[in-house]
Amino acid sequence: MSVVMQIGQCGNQLGEKFFHTLSEEISHAKPNVQDILENSYFIPPSKPGGVPIARAVLVDMEPKVVRNCLQGAARSGTWKYDNNSSFCKQSGSANNWAHGFNTHGPACRESILECVRRQVEACDMFVGFQMMQSLAGGTGSGLGAFICEMLREEFPSASILNNVIWPYESGEVIVQNYNSLLTLSSLLDSSDAVCIVENDVMQRICVNQLNIKRPSFGDINAVIARHLVGAIFPGRTTTRHSMRSIIRHLCSHPSYKLLTVRCIPQVPQSSIDFTSDAWSALLKRLLQMLMVDHHTEEGLNWRIKLDEGRTLPESVPYNRSISNWLVLQGKESETASFDQFAHPKLYPSWALDPLSVTVGSHMLGKQEKTATLLSNSQSILRPLDRLTGRAYEMFAANAYLHQYEKHGLLKTEFVEHFAHLEQSLQNYRLLST
């Protein structure tokens, strides 16, 4: 059983979409799958005719988004939140990581912890926390990082998986690179796994593949939620399927905690009835996306091959993984051949059991076949290189540092965070050697 922590505006809106998607999938799943997911993410209704209650804690420094989430879930008629498991205040975090971490965090600690304990005590077999948060703002990043440290301190044996939303490259707030750097550096110490989802990638999926020309945040969150639900959906698996087993498989080495997620096919709702893929074709595209580090099916470089008996030239870069978690759902999934995902050239020589596969017959999103891939790989190098480079340019110019110093974050601490993230980047770069 997992408790979902929804932090900040982005985290709360994404969390609501996650539970809404999960509830929809549960409604047409097989009874055994329904039982697993309902018990893991919902508290059963206390009386006949009631609706299940999401195992979630909602936190924001402004009340509007939390209120909207509570009302939206109640209107769905299929699930709801526990109103007593939400916490909000009347002031925001001013898009400042230090404000959220050093100011709001200590002041709100006990109130938030009381909400968390209430949810944990409602679990028969508590496994851990899934956190939803943004990297760009102040509450999701700063307060989210503080809450993650608090959870690690209060629940040392719990698994913690952070789903973090990477800001648009074009810029959402002027200090988003600082906030993202500080959050990731902090989470690398307190979290067990950090799943990075890029807004730009999800926007491209909406525009180019789902034909949503001007996607709203709701449209983007729906795509993200489908990716996350696809990754956790149970089936006949090579390991016991739980959040803890996913983390143990993907992040068994403490120096490698950064994950990415891919899910195909992505087709408009109106085209689902006219879309059919063979498993061989679907998995061929997904493997190529992994190899060439691409997150959509469009524009794939097919010149890079990974065939038996053929070696890649040293000059050809390809994405190397620590481990992969593959989930196949839909018709005839048990017949799918996924051996290529275990190809030794995709992994370092010391990776002992790098691939785990879950196979089920559920039609995710009512699609005939879906494949979702959670990867601990070098996919994170490009966005992290851009992030650290831009953050360092601002830091070298002393840009906006006074705003962080005002809330207790010293320049020397910035240097420590830079060094910590750079060490993680170097670890992933060395996978190619």
Side-chain angles (χ1 to χ4, degrees):
M1 295 178 177
S2 303
V3 174
V4 176
M5 302 292 300
Q6 303 178 187
I7 316 296
Q9 177 178 340
C10 173
N12 277 289
Q13 291 173 338
L14 174 58
E16 182 190 359
K17 193 65 72 172
F18 172 81
F19 280 110
H20 179 70
T21 303
L22 200 55
S23 178
E24 283 189 338
E25 297 300 333
I26 288 173
S27 68
H28 65 271
K30 291 184 176 180
N32 63 319
V33 173
Q34 285 182 344
D35 290 342
I36 293 172
L37 291 174
E38 284 180 344
N39 290 332
S40 296
Y41 290 96
F42 293 95
I43 300 171
S46 57
K47 54 186 178 181
V51 296
I53 301 170
R55 300 185 188 275
V57 176
L58 293 74
V59 178
D60 199 5
M61 291 298 100
E62 296 177 287
K64 182 179 178 180
V65 172
V66 171
R67 184 170 59 245
N68 289 343
C69 288
L70 295 174
Q71 293 172 351
R75 283 196 301 268
S76 73
T78 56
W79 66 282
K80 65 180 181 179
Y81 287 111
D82 177 3
N83 291 346
N84 294 321
S85 293
S86 63
F87 176 84
C88 54
K89 295 184 71 175
Q90 297 295 328
S91 61
S93 298
N95 293 323
N96 186 316
W97 185 91
H99 193 181
F101 190 91
N102 290 333
T103 304
H104 285 317
C108 304
R109 187 182 194 278
E110 291 306 316
S111 298
I112 295 172
L113 189 55
E114 181 60 31
C115 294
V116 173
R117 288 191 181 119
R118 185 180 296 113
Q119 283 295 328
V120 170
E121 289 167 3
C123 297
D124 294 333
M125 190 173 64
F126 174 64
V127 172
F129 300 97
Q130 289 190 49
M131 298 186 66
M132 309 280 185
Q133 63 194 110
S134 167
L135 292 177
T139 301
S141 63
L143 183 58
F146 179 89
I147 290 174
C148 192
E149 286 191 8
M150 176 190 75
L151 297 177
R152 174 57 65 218
E153 178 184 334
E154 295 291 330
F155 305 92
S157 62
S159 298
I160 303 178
L161 168 62
N162 294 73
N163 298 299
V164 299
I165 308 305
W166 195 274
Y168 286 102
E169 291 296 326
S170 57
E172 296 176 21
V173 295
I174 193 68
V175 290
Q176 68 181 34
N177 295 310
Y178 280 163
N179 292 337
S180 300
L181 168 89
L182 295 166
T183 305
L184 288 172
S185 174
S186 177
L187 296 182
L188 286 173
D189 283 334
S190 55
S191 178
D192 294 302
V194 181
C195 182
I196 294 173
V197 181
E198 296 181 66
N199 265 336
D200 286 293
V201 171
M202 298 298 123
Q203 170 116 359
R204 286 200 298 272
I205 290 175
C206 286
V207 173
N208 298 333
Q209 296 183 265
L210 302 182
N211 294 331
I212 305 172
K213 297 309 176 186
R214 293 189 176 181
S216 65
F217 283 121
D219 296 323
I220 292 171
N221 284 336
V223 176
I224 298 173
R226 181 169 176 248
H227 279 66
L228 300 181
V229 170
I232 64 169
F233 223 81
R236 178 177 56 81
T237 177
T238 55
T239 62
R240 187 176 176 219
H241 193 104
S242 70
M243 186 183 75
R244 179 165 291 163
S245 63
I246 293 174
I247 291 173
R248 282 178 176 172
H249 176 76
L250 288 172
C251 303
S252 57
H253 195 294
S255 297
Y256 301 91
K257 295 184 177 182
L258 301 175
L259 311 179
T260 54
V261 60
R262 298 170 174 85
C263 182
I264 62 170
Q266 298 288 339
V267 296
Q269 197 68 30
S270 58
S271 302
I272 286 178
D273 292 339
F274 312 101
T275 302
S276 180
D277 276 300
W279 279 113
S280 57
L282 199 65
L283 294 179
K284 182 179 180 180
R285 297 200 301 273
L286 185 60
L287 178 65
Q288 199 70 17
M289 289 165 64
L290 174 65
M291 284 171 49
V292 303
D293 188 17
H294 215 64
H295 287 270
T296 66
E297 298 174 73
E298 295 184 325
L300 288 175
N301 180 2
W302 290 100
R303 290 175 295 176
I304 297 179
K305 303 291 185 181
L306 196 63
D307 298 326
E308 292 294 337
R310 177 174 180 163
T311 59
L312 290 170
E314 292 298 323
S315 59
V316 176
Y318 65 102
N319 184 35
R320 183 160 284 186
S321 303
I322 296 290
S323 52
N324 286 297
W325 182 277
L326 179 63
V327 181
L328 309 179
Q329 295 286 351
K331 295 181 178 179
E332 302 173 345
S333 57
E334 68 281 355
T335 66
S337 175
F338 43 78
D339 293 345
Q340 284 285 74
F341 285 87
H343 197 291
K345 287 200 168 292
L346 290 174
Y347 306 96
S349 58
W350 47 264
L352 299 179
D353 185 23
L355 178 65
S356 182
V357 181
T358 295
V359 176
S361 59
H362 181 78
M363 294 176 64
L364 194 66
K366 299 183 179 179
Q367 293 194 124
E368 189 177 77
K369 300 179 181 74
T370 55
T372 307
L373 185 68
L374 262 177
S375 297
N376 187 345
S377 73
Q378 293 176 312
S379 288
I380 51 86
L381 283 176
R382 283 189 293 181
L384 280 183
D385 272 330
R386 289 195 299 267
L387 165 69
T388 53
R390 292 172 180 175
Y392 189 76
E393 287 176 1
M394 294 176 63
F395 180 77
N398 289 321
Y400 304 101
L401 292 182
H402 65 283
Q403 296 182 6
Y404 292 81
E405 291 170 352
K406 183 171 64 175
H407 293 283
L409 188 69
L410 303 178
K411 195 170 183 179
T412 54
E413 293 178 272
F414 257 105
V415 174
E416 291 172 1
H417 285 289
F418 271 109
H420 193 196
L421 200 55
E422 182 58 39
Q423 180 59 59
S424 182
L425 274 167
Q426 184 62 16
N427 291 336
Y428 277 97
R429 292 189 190 107
L430 290 173
L431 294 177
S432 295
T433 60

